[in-house]
Amino acid sequence: MRKAIYRHLRALLVAAACVAAVTSGAFAQSASIAVKAQQAYMIDAETGTVLLAIDENTPFPPASLAKLMTVEVVMDALSKRQISAETSYPVSEYAWRTGGAPSRTSTMFAALKSSVGINDLLTGIIVQNANDGCLVVAEGMAGSDAAFAKRMTERAAALGMTSSSFANSTGLPDQVSKTTARDMVLLAKHIHETFGERYGLFSKPDFEWNRIFQRNKNSLLGNGIDGLGLGFAEGHGFSSVVSAERDGRRIYLTLAGLPDDKTRQEEARRVVEWGLTAFQKRDLFQKDETVGNIGVYGGSTAAIDLAVHEPVSILIPISNPDRLSGRIVYNWPLNAPLEAGYNAATLKIFSGEKLLREVPLYTTAAVEKGTLTQNAAGALKELLFFWL
């Protein structure tokens, strides 16, 4: 049974009062910012604080945002040396007709029956939003676009993008592909943090291939925004996935369901500006600091202290802060024996009913199995606690 434990939570509200009443204050219309997107999600890179959340788990077609997943699969394969910088793939007639010059879609104009190196394909996909680049990669790495899309979906699940699935590498219209604002933010964060040596491609101003010069298709770049991509799906509107950095602070943002490109441009820049200027950092716990304790069933001790393994900080709004609350959540009953350093619970930090952060909590010491008398007393205590 999953239980939220309020008792024994180490003076969290007191700590909140000492840091100007810690808050999220950053959700939907109550956050002193109204957005025009149907789905929105934004987090702070360093602390993981959720700054904005509006229907973040509601699925929508990724359209060209699917290319970010294609890029991740390629970068992951490069990092694992499954392919190398010297790898090249041929341009099939299918890739040329479906995503190349005849398709009248975004393309890098790869020539039919030519061979293109993986670095150039990756650059074409990122800078030129190239559908032919995606298809060449998909066929080269997996044999077909469908097989590669299956790999994309499996990889997304491995990254925790549990609400995402992909039917092709390009994001061209289909009835299967879906994602969420939350999943796209998770993907953006992963790409930036894992593939930093290649992340600069997202802000590359231009790229020339087959003697055709094209500027970066991401019109949001600049004023701190250095990635990642744009999308449009008929009937679902315009979307964007953004990473922005200023003065050492980075945020990740997804907006979806916007009515037109002009609104997307305005909203993305406005929300980014708000996210980078409307909050300040507050520290809650130091590394290895004890946060609280929870009961242990069948152990040599009746309770065990829990601590964080890393410093815990959040962002709070500069104006109109609300109070912070915390809940220790774990699977009840917690049975002995337990090792020291066991991930026994999660600290959930809220502003009102809005979840800001989830932080793993670890046992500070080992707990051995108890005696028969200790087990009986523990069983009675847990039974009383459950009913109370």
Short mmCIF file of all heavy atoms in Angstrom, two decimals, residues 76-113:
data_model
loop_
_atom_site.label_atom_id
_atom_site.label_comp_id
_atom_site.label_asym_id
_atom_site.label_seq_id
_atom_site.Cartn_x
_atom_site.Cartn_y
_atom_site.Cartn_z
N ASP A 76 22.60 8.38 -29.51
CA ASP A 76 22.83 7.27 -28.60
C ASP A 76 23.66 6.18 -29.27
O ASP A 76 24.59 5.62 -28.66
CB ASP A 76 21.48 6.71 -28.14
CG ASP A 76 21.63 5.56 -27.15
OD1 ASP A 76 22.21 5.78 -26.07
OD2 ASP A 76 21.17 4.44 -27.48
N ALA A 77 23.34 5.88 -30.53
CA ALA A 77 24.10 4.87 -31.27
C ALA A 77 25.56 5.31 -31.45
O ALA A 77 26.48 4.49 -31.37
CB ALA A 77 23.45 4.61 -32.62
N LEU A 78 25.78 6.59 -31.71
CA LEU A 78 27.14 7.11 -31.83
C LEU A 78 27.90 6.99 -30.50
O LEU A 78 29.07 6.59 -30.48
CB LEU A 78 27.11 8.56 -32.29
CG LEU A 78 26.83 8.80 -33.77
CD1 LEU A 78 26.47 10.27 -34.02
CD2 LEU A 78 28.04 8.40 -34.62
N SER A 79 27.23 7.34 -29.41
CA SER A 79 27.89 7.29 -28.10
C SER A 79 28.23 5.87 -27.69
O SER A 79 29.22 5.63 -26.98
CB SER A 79 27.00 7.94 -27.04
OG SER A 79 25.86 7.16 -26.77
N LYS A 80 27.43 4.89 -28.15
CA LYS A 80 27.67 3.48 -27.83
C LYS A 80 28.54 2.79 -28.88
O LYS A 80 28.76 1.59 -28.82
CB LYS A 80 26.34 2.74 -27.70
CG LYS A 80 25.51 3.20 -26.51
CD LYS A 80 24.15 2.54 -26.49
CE LYS A 80 23.35 3.00 -25.27
NZ LYS A 80 21.96 2.44 -25.28
N ARG A 81 29.00 3.57 -29.88
CA ARG A 81 29.87 3.08 -30.95
C ARG A 81 29.22 1.98 -31.77
O ARG A 81 29.91 1.13 -32.33
CB ARG A 81 31.21 2.61 -30.37
CG ARG A 81 31.98 3.73 -29.66
CD ARG A 81 33.35 3.31 -29.23
NE ARG A 81 34.06 4.43 -28.60
CZ ARG A 81 35.29 4.35 -28.11
NH1 ARG A 81 35.97 3.21 -28.20
NH2 ARG A 81 35.85 5.41 -27.55
N GLN A 82 27.89 2.02 -31.84
CA GLN A 82 27.18 1.12 -32.74
C GLN A 82 27.34 1.60 -34.18
O GLN A 82 27.26 0.81 -35.12
CB GLN A 82 25.71 1.06 -32.34
CG GLN A 82 25.48 0.45 -30.96
CD GLN A 82 24.06 0.66 -30.46
OE1 GLN A 82 23.29 1.43 -31.04
NE2 GLN A 82 23.70 -0.04 -29.39
N ILE A 83 27.53 2.91 -34.33
CA ILE A 83 27.91 3.52 -35.60
C ILE A 83 29.02 4.52 -35.29
O ILE A 83 29.27 4.84 -34.12
CB ILE A 83 26.72 4.23 -36.29
CG1 ILE A 83 26.12 5.29 -35.36
CG2 ILE A 83 25.67 3.23 -36.72
CD1 ILE A 83 24.98 6.09 -35.99
N SER A 84 29.67 5.02 -36.32
CA SER A 84 30.78 5.95 -36.10
C SER A 84 30.64 7.16 -37.00
O SER A 84 29.77 7.22 -37.88
CB SER A 84 32.12 5.25 -36.38
OG SER A 84 32.29 5.04 -37.77
N ALA A 85 31.52 8.12 -36.80
CA ALA A 85 31.52 9.34 -37.63
C ALA A 85 31.79 9.01 -39.09
O ALA A 85 31.44 9.80 -39.97
CB ALA A 85 32.56 10.32 -37.11
N GLU A 86 32.39 7.86 -39.36
CA GLU A 86 32.68 7.47 -40.74
C GLU A 86 31.52 6.73 -41.40
O GLU A 86 31.55 6.44 -42.60
CB GLU A 86 33.92 6.57 -40.78
CG GLU A 86 35.23 7.29 -40.54
CD GLU A 86 35.38 7.79 -39.10
OE1 GLU A 86 35.05 7.00 -38.18
OE2 GLU A 86 35.80 8.95 -38.90
N THR A 87 30.48 6.41 -40.63
CA THR A 87 29.34 5.69 -41.18
C THR A 87 28.60 6.55 -42.20
O THR A 87 28.38 7.74 -41.98
CB THR A 87 28.36 5.28 -40.06
OG1 THR A 87 29.05 4.43 -39.13
CG2 THR A 87 27.15 4.54 -40.61
N SER A 88 28.22 5.96 -43.31
CA SER A 88 27.41 6.66 -44.30
C SER A 88 26.32 5.72 -44.79
O SER A 88 26.46 4.49 -44.73
CB SER A 88 28.27 7.15 -45.47
OG SER A 88 28.86 6.05 -46.15
N TYR A 89 25.22 6.29 -45.29
CA TYR A 89 24.09 5.50 -45.75
C TYR A 89 23.64 5.99 -47.12
O TYR A 89 23.70 7.19 -47.43
CB TYR A 89 22.93 5.60 -44.76
CG TYR A 89 23.22 5.00 -43.40
CD1 TYR A 89 23.15 5.79 -42.25
CD2 TYR A 89 23.56 3.66 -43.28
CE1 TYR A 89 23.41 5.25 -41.00
CE2 TYR A 89 23.83 3.11 -42.02
CZ TYR A 89 23.75 3.91 -40.89
OH TYR A 89 24.01 3.37 -39.66
N PRO A 90 23.12 5.07 -47.94
CA PRO A 90 22.66 5.45 -49.28
C PRO A 90 21.29 6.12 -49.24
O PRO A 90 20.47 5.85 -48.35
CB PRO A 90 22.60 4.11 -50.02
CG PRO A 90 22.33 3.10 -48.94
CD PRO A 90 23.05 3.61 -47.73
N VAL A 91 21.02 6.96 -50.22
CA VAL A 91 19.73 7.62 -50.36
C VAL A 91 18.87 6.78 -51.30
O VAL A 91 19.10 6.74 -52.51
CB VAL A 91 19.89 9.05 -50.91
CG1 VAL A 91 18.52 9.73 -51.03
CG2 VAL A 91 20.82 9.86 -50.02
N SER A 92 17.87 6.11 -50.72
CA SER A 92 17.00 5.25 -51.52
C SER A 92 15.98 6.10 -52.28
O SER A 92 15.77 7.28 -51.97
CB SER A 92 16.26 4.26 -50.63
OG SER A 92 15.31 4.95 -49.82
N GLU A 93 15.31 5.49 -53.24
CA GLU A 93 14.28 6.20 -53.97
C GLU A 93 13.12 6.56 -53.04
O GLU A 93 12.54 7.64 -53.17
CB GLU A 93 13.76 5.37 -55.14
CG GLU A 93 12.72 6.12 -55.96
CD GLU A 93 12.40 5.46 -57.29
OE1 GLU A 93 13.13 4.52 -57.67
OE2 GLU A 93 11.43 5.90 -57.94
N TYR A 94 12.82 5.65 -52.09
CA TYR A 94 11.73 5.96 -51.15
C TYR A 94 12.08 7.18 -50.31
O TYR A 94 11.25 8.08 -50.13
CB TYR A 94 11.49 4.75 -50.23
CG TYR A 94 10.48 5.03 -49.14
CD1 TYR A 94 9.12 5.05 -49.43
CD2 TYR A 94 10.88 5.31 -47.83
CE1 TYR A 94 8.18 5.32 -48.44
CE2 TYR A 94 9.96 5.58 -46.84
CZ TYR A 94 8.61 5.59 -47.15
OH TYR A 94 7.69 5.88 -46.18
N ALA A 95 13.29 7.24 -49.78
CA ALA A 95 13.71 8.39 -48.97
C ALA A 95 13.69 9.67 -49.80
O ALA A 95 13.27 10.73 -49.31
CB ALA A 95 15.10 8.15 -48.39
N TRP A 96 14.13 9.57 -51.05
CA TRP A 96 14.19 10.74 -51.92
C TRP A 96 12.79 11.24 -52.27
O TRP A 96 12.51 12.44 -52.18
CB TRP A 96 14.96 10.37 -53.18
CG TRP A 96 15.07 11.46 -54.20
CD1 TRP A 96 15.80 12.61 -54.09
CD2 TRP A 96 14.43 11.50 -55.48
NE1 TRP A 96 15.65 13.38 -55.22
CE2 TRP A 96 14.83 12.72 -56.10
CE3 TRP A 96 13.59 10.64 -56.16
CZ2 TRP A 96 14.37 13.08 -57.36
CZ3 TRP A 96 13.15 10.99 -57.42
CH2 TRP A 96 13.53 12.20 -58.02
N ARG A 97 11.88 10.32 -52.63
CA ARG A 97 10.53 10.73 -53.02
C ARG A 97 9.69 11.17 -51.83
O ARG A 97 8.92 12.13 -51.92
CB ARG A 97 9.82 9.59 -53.75
CG ARG A 97 10.37 9.32 -55.12
CD ARG A 97 9.46 8.44 -55.96
NE ARG A 97 10.03 8.20 -57.28
CZ ARG A 97 9.95 9.06 -58.28
NH1 ARG A 97 9.31 10.21 -58.12
NH2 ARG A 97 10.50 8.76 -59.46
N THR A 98 9.84 10.50 -50.70
CA THR A 98 8.99 10.78 -49.54
C THR A 98 9.47 11.99 -48.75
O THR A 98 8.65 12.75 -48.21
CB THR A 98 8.94 9.54 -48.61
OG1 THR A 98 8.53 8.40 -49.37
CG2 THR A 98 7.97 9.77 -47.46
N GLY A 99 10.79 12.18 -48.67
CA GLY A 99 11.32 13.27 -47.86
C GLY A 99 12.26 14.20 -48.57
O GLY A 99 12.72 15.19 -47.99
N GLY A 100 12.56 13.91 -49.82
CA GLY A 100 13.51 14.71 -50.56
C GLY A 100 12.86 15.77 -51.42
O GLY A 100 11.72 16.18 -51.19
N ALA A 101 13.57 16.21 -52.45
CA ALA A 101 13.10 17.31 -53.29
C ALA A 101 11.70 17.11 -53.85
O ALA A 101 10.90 18.06 -53.86
CB ALA A 101 14.11 17.54 -54.42
N PRO A 102 11.31 15.90 -54.32
CA PRO A 102 9.97 15.74 -54.89
C PRO A 102 8.85 15.86 -53.87
O PRO A 102 7.69 16.03 -54.24
CB PRO A 102 10.00 14.31 -55.48
CG PRO A 102 11.43 13.97 -55.62
CD PRO A 102 12.12 14.68 -54.49
N SER A 103 9.16 15.74 -52.59
CA SER A 103 8.12 15.69 -51.55
C SER A 103 7.55 17.06 -51.20
O SER A 103 6.48 17.14 -50.57
CB SER A 103 8.69 15.06 -50.27
OG SER A 103 9.64 15.94 -49.65
N ARG A 104 8.26 18.11 -51.54
CA ARG A 104 7.86 19.48 -51.19
C ARG A 104 7.69 19.66 -49.67
O ARG A 104 6.84 20.42 -49.20
CB ARG A 104 6.56 19.88 -51.91
CG ARG A 104 6.70 19.90 -53.42
CD ARG A 104 5.40 20.30 -54.09
NE ARG A 104 5.54 20.29 -55.54
CZ ARG A 104 5.95 21.31 -56.26
NH1 ARG A 104 6.30 22.44 -55.67
NH2 ARG A 104 6.04 21.22 -57.59
N THR A 105 8.47 18.91 -48.91
CA THR A 105 8.52 19.07 -47.46
C THR A 105 9.92 19.53 -47.08
O THR A 105 10.78 19.72 -47.94
CB THR A 105 8.19 17.75 -46.74
OG1 THR A 105 9.22 16.77 -47.05
CG2 THR A 105 6.84 17.20 -47.18
N SER A 106 10.16 19.71 -45.80
CA SER A 106 11.49 20.11 -45.34
C SER A 106 12.51 19.04 -45.74
O SER A 106 12.33 17.86 -45.44
CB SER A 106 11.50 20.29 -43.83
OG SER A 106 10.63 21.32 -43.44
N THR A 107 13.57 19.44 -46.38
CA THR A 107 14.53 18.49 -46.94
C THR A 107 15.93 19.07 -46.95
O THR A 107 16.11 20.29 -46.96
CB THR A 107 14.12 18.10 -48.38
OG1 THR A 107 15.10 17.25 -48.93
CG2 THR A 107 13.96 19.33 -49.26
N MET A 108 16.93 18.19 -46.96
CA MET A 108 18.31 18.63 -47.13
C MET A 108 18.75 18.45 -48.58
O MET A 108 19.91 18.68 -48.91
CB MET A 108 19.24 17.87 -46.19
CG MET A 108 19.32 16.37 -46.40
SD MET A 108 20.31 15.54 -45.13
CE MET A 108 21.96 16.17 -45.49
N PHE A 109 17.83 18.01 -49.46
CA PHE A 109 18.10 17.83 -50.88
C PHE A 109 19.21 16.82 -51.13
O PHE A 109 20.06 17.01 -51.99
CB PHE A 109 18.43 19.17 -51.55
CG PHE A 109 17.28 20.14 -51.52
CD1 PHE A 109 17.21 21.14 -50.56
CD2 PHE A 109 16.25 20.05 -52.45
CE1 PHE A 109 16.15 22.04 -50.52
CE2 PHE A 109 15.19 20.94 -52.42
CZ PHE A 109 15.13 21.93 -51.46
N ALA A 110 19.17 15.73 -50.37
CA ALA A 110 20.11 14.63 -50.61
C ALA A 110 19.81 14.02 -51.98
O ALA A 110 18.66 13.74 -52.31
CB ALA A 110 19.99 13.57 -49.52
N ALA A 111 20.85 13.81 -52.77
CA ALA A 111 20.67 13.33 -54.14
C ALA A 111 20.35 11.84 -54.17
O ALA A 111 20.90 11.05 -53.39
CB ALA A 111 21.94 13.60 -54.95
N LEU A 112 19.45 11.46 -55.04
CA LEU A 112 19.06 10.07 -55.21
C LEU A 112 20.29 9.21 -55.52
O LEU A 112 21.12 9.56 -56.36
CB LEU A 112 18.03 9.95 -56.34
CG LEU A 112 17.57 8.55 -56.73
CD1 LEU A 112 16.86 7.88 -55.56
CD2 LEU A 112 16.66 8.61 -57.96
N LYS A 113 20.40 8.07 -54.82
CA LYS A 113 21.46 7.07 -54.99
C LYS A 113 22.84 7.57 -54.56
O LYS A 113 23.85 6.90 -54.81
CB LYS A 113 21.51 6.57 -56.44
CG LYS A 113 20.23 5.84 -56.86
CD LYS A 113 20.34 5.30 -58.26
CE LYS A 113 19.05 4.58 -58.66
NZ LYS A 113 19.11 4.03 -60.04
#
